Amino acid sequence: MAEAARKVEEAALPVEKISGGHLVAKALKAEGVKVIFTLCGGHIIDIYDGCLDEDIKIIDVRHEQVAAHAADGYARMTGRPGCAVVTAGPGTTDAMTGVANAFRAESPFLLIGGQGALSQHKMGSLQDLPHVDIMQPITKFAATVPSTARIADMVSMAFRECLNGAPGPSFLEIPRDILDGQVELAKARIPAAGKYRASTRLLADPADIQKLADLLVKAERPCILLGTQVWTCRAASVARELVRKLNIPAYMNGAGRGTLPPGDPHHFHRTRSYAFDKADVIVIVGTPFDFRMGYGRRLNPKATVVQIDMDYRTVGKNRDVDLGLVGDVGLILEAVTAAATGSADNGAKRRAGWLEELRKGEGAGLEKLMKDFKSDSTPINPYRVAWELNEFMGEDTIYIGDGGDVVTITATAVQPRQPGHWMDPGPLGTLGVGTPFAMAAKFVHPEKEVLCYFGDGAFAMTGFDMETCMRFKLPFLGVVGNNSAMNQIRFGQIAKYGENRGNVGNKLGDVPFSKFAEMLGGYGEEVRDPKQIRPALERGREAVKSGVVALINVWVDPNVYAPGTKNQTMYK
Ligand SMILES: Cc1ncc(C[n+]2csc(CCOP(=O)(O)OP(=O)(O)O)c2C)c(N)n1
Ligand SMILES: [Mg+2]
């Protein structure tokens, strides 16, 4: 009797329901996402309503490319996937470049796109496009959510896919009626935080770890290249331990820069080609044999080559390797150090001469550049700007490069002081990452200085989102190396077609970008005298500390180019 009464009473209670946007927000919360980068549209507004309930910050930007790059930047800074939310059709296509950039850079973020209602599928609804087909080749996972009850489940699934092997972006489209629909809370699967995936910290074959340890112990002239995945796996301290214990010279590229601080006895920078040419054992960690590595062709053919990567498919691609290890690069390096520690003589002392030889080369390499680094000429030599930026940077400065030639030049001078304090687009080479990366970096690290060096061409692509940085109090210091041209491309055109026909489609107007920052209520300065670079940077730093964006527009010589541009190495 009592049982029947309880059933009647329960039936009379209102059933708790939840809408799709609120399910998205619950799944984001479970993933630990603190912020979405977004640009609004009628297809996605219920997600905002959900984020309000779950205390997820909404940063609304002015172009969807910026939302996507910012989500990528957030992932790089936090080590956790980011999230961008954009509307159907043009919102999603605008964000594609950011997805593609993250795909090539192995950066995990989820792009959620709106879509026309399922009930209007293929009827020609507003902003309807085949997003999933478009996104498939540039994501690790792309799918449509078929029902409201599955929303949270599929958001978690998409995040899980982001972290499969080497990380990357995922895409989910949520049709409008699915997102706005409501389901009984009890019928929706909402994966719980920390309970929907395994650890990604996989260790390689123990026999191969021992092999690598033995190789390194016996090596006379080893060298190691620490790539982006060293940062992805937060493996800087174990990488340092390995090179110090075994006395191995280390080179760094991509986000691996800063793994060792400048001045460290194992930090090498300017002798990489020499080392690759003379080494007997070369260990490549977490970076593919792509164009940045000459596809692996420029290594001593007699060297024993070892490759460590999170992605099984990257090992042995484009050139043969003698030993390949797949897994979390931090765990692997740690295990190799431990395996090498067992030997009576780990060879560290024997290699002192090799390190001295390289150190001499470093000095000679720097000497060659000093004339340009210290140049007093006007228009300003872009090498001087690069040098000044490096001198100006502090322990905590996060350096971002966004541009062509002027930014390539900074790679000869700028040395971040810590891991995770260097950001570049990665192998897609996307112009326009600067402002969104700065936005994300400042959001994650409000206490740090964020310094972004732009080409004038690159700045104009997404620079308007400096306004977003002002609005959300995410101030950063921007510096433009202004040569009124798309100079990196211009060089190749002039070389191929001569002066007359080479200056076509690559010259830009003389824009005093400082005024742009002033227009936004920020600080701006024009610099034409090399002696004024440092004082202008200092004033910019103070302005940023006071809470506004700053933009120092430095007029640089359009006839000075980076060596890589002169050799056109990026196409070789
Ligand atoms: C989105 C995008 N469009 C075009 C290119 C091709 N590109 C590479 S470098 C470059 C010139 C960039 O000019 P700027 O930022 O002013 O730097 P500069 O080479 O002049 O120093 C261009 C157009 C690219 N990498 N990305
Ligand atoms: Mg330029």
Side-chain angles (χ1 to χ4, degrees), residues 403-406 429-431 455-458 461 483 485-489:
D405 205 64
V406 292
T430 313
L431 299 176
D456 55 316
M461 291 195 180
N483 47 27
M486 301 283 192
N487 227 26
Q488 193 153 61
I489 307 307

PDB file of all heavy atoms in Angstrom, residues 403-406 429-431 455-458 461 483 485-489, ligand 1:
ATOM      1  N   GLY A 403      54.937  36.337 -37.402  1.00  0.00           N
ATOM      2  CA  GLY A 403      55.306  37.121 -38.581  1.00  0.00           C
ATOM      3  C   GLY A 403      56.251  36.328 -39.457  1.00  0.00           C
ATOM      4  O   GLY A 403      56.568  35.167 -39.170  1.00  0.00           O
ATOM      5  N   GLY A 404      56.718  36.984 -40.503  1.00  0.00           N
ATOM      6  CA  GLY A 404      57.594  36.314 -41.445  1.00  0.00           C
ATOM      7  C   GLY A 404      59.049  36.511 -41.099  1.00  0.00           C
ATOM      8  O   GLY A 404      59.546  35.991 -40.088  1.00  0.00           O
ATOM      9  N   ASP A 405      59.712  37.338 -41.910  1.00  0.00           N
ATOM     10  CA  ASP A 405      61.159  37.465 -41.803  1.00  0.00           C
ATOM     11  C   ASP A 405      61.624  38.034 -40.463  1.00  0.00           C
ATOM     12  O   ASP A 405      62.555  37.507 -39.856  1.00  0.00           O
ATOM     13  CB  ASP A 405      61.648  38.357 -42.944  1.00  0.00           C
ATOM     14  CG  ASP A 405      63.083  38.068 -43.274  1.00  0.00           C
ATOM     15  OD1 ASP A 405      63.367  36.939 -43.708  1.00  0.00           O
ATOM     16  OD2 ASP A 405      63.912  38.959 -43.047  1.00  0.00           O
ATOM     17  N   VAL A 406      60.990  39.108 -40.004  1.00  0.00           N
ATOM     18  CA  VAL A 406      61.475  39.729 -38.753  1.00  0.00           C
ATOM     19  C   VAL A 406      61.413  38.733 -37.603  1.00  0.00           C
ATOM     20  O   VAL A 406      62.260  38.738 -36.708  1.00  0.00           O
ATOM     21  CB  VAL A 406      60.708  41.030 -38.386  1.00  0.00           C
ATOM     22  CG1 VAL A 406      61.009  42.144 -39.384  1.00  0.00           C
ATOM     23  CG2 VAL A 406      59.222  40.806 -38.230  1.00  0.00           C
ATOM     24  N   GLY A 429      52.842  27.342 -39.843  1.00  0.00           N
ATOM     25  CA  GLY A 429      53.376  28.682 -40.146  1.00  0.00           C
ATOM     26  C   GLY A 429      52.303  29.748 -40.294  1.00  0.00           C
ATOM     27  O   GLY A 429      52.444  30.684 -41.089  1.00  0.00           O
ATOM     28  N   THR A 430      51.239  29.625 -39.514  1.00  0.00           N
ATOM     29  CA  THR A 430      50.093  30.517 -39.671  1.00  0.00           C
ATOM     30  C   THR A 430      50.385  31.926 -39.169  1.00  0.00           C
ATOM     31  O   THR A 430      50.722  32.117 -37.999  1.00  0.00           O
ATOM     32  CB  THR A 430      48.904  29.959 -38.858  1.00  0.00           C
ATOM     33  OG1 THR A 430      48.789  28.568 -39.144  1.00  0.00           O
ATOM     34  CG2 THR A 430      47.620  30.682 -39.196  1.00  0.00           C
ATOM     35  N   LEU A 431      50.233  32.917 -40.030  1.00  0.00           N
ATOM     36  CA  LEU A 431      50.304  34.304 -39.576  1.00  0.00           C
ATOM     37  C   LEU A 431      49.000  34.630 -38.856  1.00  0.00           C
ATOM     38  O   LEU A 431      47.924  34.171 -39.262  1.00  0.00           O
ATOM     39  CB  LEU A 431      50.478  35.252 -40.755  1.00  0.00           C
ATOM     40  CG  LEU A 431      51.739  35.079 -41.605  1.00  0.00           C
ATOM     41  CD1 LEU A 431      51.694  36.032 -42.794  1.00  0.00           C
ATOM     42  CD2 LEU A 431      52.995  35.302 -40.789  1.00  0.00           C
ATOM     43  N   GLY A 455      55.254  40.714 -37.296  1.00  0.00           N
ATOM     44  CA  GLY A 455      55.495  41.396 -38.565  1.00  0.00           C
ATOM     45  C   GLY A 455      54.304  42.310 -38.804  1.00  0.00           C
ATOM     46  O   GLY A 455      53.217  42.078 -38.256  1.00  0.00           O
ATOM     47  N   ASP A 456      54.492  43.340 -39.611  1.00  0.00           N
ATOM     48  CA  ASP A 456      53.353  44.249 -39.854  1.00  0.00           C
ATOM     49  C   ASP A 456      52.248  43.537 -40.620  1.00  0.00           C
ATOM     50  O   ASP A 456      51.059  43.789 -40.393  1.00  0.00           O
ATOM     51  CB  ASP A 456      53.796  45.532 -40.572  1.00  0.00           C
ATOM     52  CG  ASP A 456      54.535  45.261 -41.880  1.00  0.00           C
ATOM     53  OD1 ASP A 456      55.404  44.366 -41.902  1.00  0.00           O
ATOM     54  OD2 ASP A 456      54.238  45.943 -42.885  1.00  0.00           O
ATOM     55  N   GLY A 457      52.637  42.604 -41.497  1.00  0.00           N
ATOM     56  CA  GLY A 457      51.617  41.834 -42.206  1.00  0.00           C
ATOM     57  C   GLY A 457      50.840  40.948 -41.252  1.00  0.00           C
ATOM     58  O   GLY A 457      49.602  40.910 -41.267  1.00  0.00           O
ATOM     59  N   ALA A 458      51.538  40.260 -40.388  1.00  0.00           N
ATOM     60  CA  ALA A 458      50.892  39.328 -39.459  1.00  0.00           C
ATOM     61  C   ALA A 458      49.995  40.068 -38.464  1.00  0.00           C
ATOM     62  O   ALA A 458      48.871  39.635 -38.182  1.00  0.00           O
ATOM     63  CB  ALA A 458      51.948  38.531 -38.702  1.00  0.00           C
ATOM     64  N   MET A 461      46.429  40.887 -39.421  1.00  0.00           N
ATOM     65  CA  MET A 461      45.480  39.798 -39.682  1.00  0.00           C
ATOM     66  C   MET A 461      44.494  39.581 -38.543  1.00  0.00           C
ATOM     67  O   MET A 461      43.317  39.324 -38.770  1.00  0.00           O
ATOM     68  CB  MET A 461      46.238  38.510 -39.974  1.00  0.00           C
ATOM     69  CG  MET A 461      46.964  38.600 -41.312  1.00  0.00           C
ATOM     70  SD  MET A 461      47.490  36.985 -41.873  1.00  0.00           S
ATOM     71  CE  MET A 461      48.291  37.434 -43.403  1.00  0.00           C
ATOM     72  N   ASN A 483      58.208  46.668 -41.770  1.00  0.00           N
ATOM     73  CA  ASN A 483      58.952  46.922 -43.005  1.00  0.00           C
ATOM     74  C   ASN A 483      57.995  47.212 -44.160  1.00  0.00           C
ATOM     75  O   ASN A 483      58.380  47.143 -45.329  1.00  0.00           O
ATOM     76  CB  ASN A 483      59.890  45.746 -43.327  1.00  0.00           C
ATOM     77  CG  ASN A 483      59.180  44.413 -43.198  1.00  0.00           C
ATOM     78  OD1 ASN A 483      57.958  44.328 -43.370  1.00  0.00           O
ATOM     79  ND2 ASN A 483      59.928  43.361 -42.904  1.00  0.00           N
ATOM     80  N   ALA A 485      55.849  45.598 -45.610  1.00  0.00           N
ATOM     81  CA  ALA A 485      55.851  44.569 -46.660  1.00  0.00           C
ATOM     82  C   ALA A 485      55.634  43.190 -46.058  1.00  0.00           C
ATOM     83  O   ALA A 485      55.813  42.978 -44.861  1.00  0.00           O
ATOM     84  CB  ALA A 485      57.188  44.574 -47.395  1.00  0.00           C
ATOM     85  N   MET A 486      55.251  42.290 -46.910  1.00  0.00           N
ATOM     86  CA  MET A 486      55.268  40.862 -46.603  1.00  0.00           C
ATOM     87  C   MET A 486      56.661  40.399 -47.038  1.00  0.00           C
ATOM     88  O   MET A 486      56.847  39.769 -48.086  1.00  0.00           O
ATOM     89  CB  MET A 486      54.192  40.124 -47.404  1.00  0.00           C
ATOM     90  CG  MET A 486      52.777  40.612 -47.165  1.00  0.00           C
ATOM     91  SD  MET A 486      52.149  39.995 -45.586  1.00  0.00           S
ATOM     92  CE  MET A 486      50.398  40.403 -45.756  1.00  0.00           C
ATOM     93  N   ASN A 487      57.640  40.741 -46.221  1.00  0.00           N
ATOM     94  CA  ASN A 487      59.023  40.720 -46.684  1.00  0.00           C
ATOM     95  C   ASN A 487      59.584  39.342 -46.969  1.00  0.00           C
ATOM     96  O   ASN A 487      60.396  39.168 -47.859  1.00  0.00           O
ATOM     97  CB  ASN A 487      59.899  41.435 -45.647  1.00  0.00           C
ATOM     98  CG  ASN A 487      60.835  42.419 -46.302  1.00  0.00           C
ATOM     99  OD1 ASN A 487      60.526  42.911 -47.393  1.00  0.00           O
ATOM    100  ND2 ASN A 487      61.948  42.710 -45.672  1.00  0.00           N
ATOM    101  N   GLN A 488      59.161  38.377 -46.188  1.00  0.00           N
ATOM    102  CA  GLN A 488      59.712  37.032 -46.385  1.00  0.00           C
ATOM    103  C   GLN A 488      59.362  36.521 -47.791  1.00  0.00           C
ATOM    104  O   GLN A 488      60.150  35.848 -48.426  1.00  0.00           O
ATOM    105  CB  GLN A 488      59.146  36.082 -45.329  1.00  0.00           C
ATOM    106  CG  GLN A 488      59.886  34.770 -45.262  1.00  0.00           C
ATOM    107  CD  GLN A 488      59.808  34.138 -43.896  1.00  0.00           C
ATOM    108  OE1 GLN A 488      58.719  33.821 -43.426  1.00  0.00           O
ATOM    109  NE2 GLN A 488      60.935  33.962 -43.254  1.00  0.00           N
ATOM    110  N   ILE A 489      58.188  36.878 -48.238  1.00  0.00           N
ATOM    111  CA  ILE A 489      57.749  36.455 -49.566  1.00  0.00           C
ATOM    112  C   ILE A 489      58.394  37.353 -50.627  1.00  0.00           C
ATOM    113  O   ILE A 489      58.829  36.885 -51.683  1.00  0.00           O
ATOM    114  CB  ILE A 489      56.208  36.532 -49.662  1.00  0.00           C
ATOM    115  CG1 ILE A 489      55.549  35.766 -48.512  1.00  0.00           C
ATOM    116  CG2 ILE A 489      55.735  36.021 -51.020  1.00  0.00           C
ATOM    117  CD1 ILE A 489      55.991  34.336 -48.342  1.00  0.00           C
TER     118      ILE A 489
HETATM  119  C1  LIG B   1      47.834  33.117 -42.941  1.00  0.00           C
HETATM  120  C2  LIG B   1      49.051  33.153 -43.780  1.00  0.00           C
HETATM  121  N1  LIG B   1      49.000  33.781 -44.979  1.00  0.00           N
HETATM  122  C3  LIG B   1      50.122  33.860 -45.758  1.00  0.00           C
HETATM  123  C4  LIG B   1      51.295  33.274 -45.345  1.00  0.00           C
HETATM  124  C5  LIG B   1      52.539  33.333 -46.238  1.00  0.00           C
HETATM  125  N2  LIG B   1      53.536  34.237 -45.636  1.00  0.00           N
HETATM  126  C6  LIG B   1      54.591  33.763 -44.951  1.00  0.00           C
HETATM  127  S1  LIG B   1      55.598  34.969 -44.390  1.00  0.00           S
HETATM  128  C7  LIG B   1      54.633  36.158 -45.051  1.00  0.00           C
HETATM  129  C8  LIG B   1      54.987  37.607 -44.893  1.00  0.00           C
HETATM  130  C9  LIG B   1      54.634  38.110 -43.538  1.00  0.00           C
HETATM  131  O1  LIG B   1      54.842  39.495 -43.457  1.00  0.00           O
HETATM  132  P1  LIG B   1      55.139  40.184 -42.063  1.00  0.00           P
HETATM  133  O2  LIG B   1      54.319  39.606 -41.013  1.00  0.00           O
HETATM  134  O3  LIG B   1      55.050  41.647 -42.278  1.00  0.00           O
HETATM  135  O4  LIG B   1      56.649  39.747 -41.777  1.00  0.00           O
HETATM  136  P2  LIG B   1      57.933  40.110 -42.665  1.00  0.00           P
HETATM  137  O5  LIG B   1      58.243  38.921 -43.517  1.00  0.00           O
HETATM  138  O6  LIG B   1      57.606  41.320 -43.471  1.00  0.00           O
HETATM  139  O7  LIG B   1      59.016  40.373 -41.679  1.00  0.00           O
HETATM  140  C10 LIG B   1      53.533  35.605 -45.713  1.00  0.00           C
HETATM  141  C11 LIG B   1      52.488  36.391 -46.388  1.00  0.00           C
HETATM  142  C12 LIG B   1      51.264  32.597 -44.106  1.00  0.00           C
HETATM  143  N3  LIG B   1      52.338  31.981 -43.618  1.00  0.00           N
HETATM  144  N4  LIG B   1      50.147  32.579 -43.332  1.00  0.00           N
END
